[in-house]
Amino acid sequence: AAGRGTFSIPSLGVDLGLSSPQHAATANADMNGNGSFSLYVPASFVGLSVLFQAVEPGSVSNAAGTYIE
């Protein structure tokens, strides 16, 4: 099942805090480290909880969750 856990990405030298991650988007960050992306979310996703985590070579963000309304 998807959720919190550990998923290693040896090519980036990181371990994610997610058990079964899926690539959602790619974004470039500015010189302050701010980046953004947009996703299409199907209506069938309403009511689901999702987790996101950013990754770059050698570094990951904290996993953050949200509820789709």
Side-chain angles (χ1 to χ4, degrees), residues 11-41:
S11 62
L12 295 177
V14 298
D15 292 327
L16 298 181
L18 306 175
S19 64
S20 186
Q22 299 294 314
H23 181 261
T26 300
N28 291 316
D30 64 19
M31 61 190 245
N32 295 313
N34 299 311
S36 65
F37 61 90
S38 297
L39 293 174
Y40 167 75
V41 180

Side-chain angles (χ1 to χ4, degrees), residues 48-66:
L48 296 178
S49 294
V50 294
L51 293 167
F52 292 94
Q53 188 167 22
V55 62
E56 63 181 351
S59 181
V60 297
S61 71
N62 292 328
T66 192

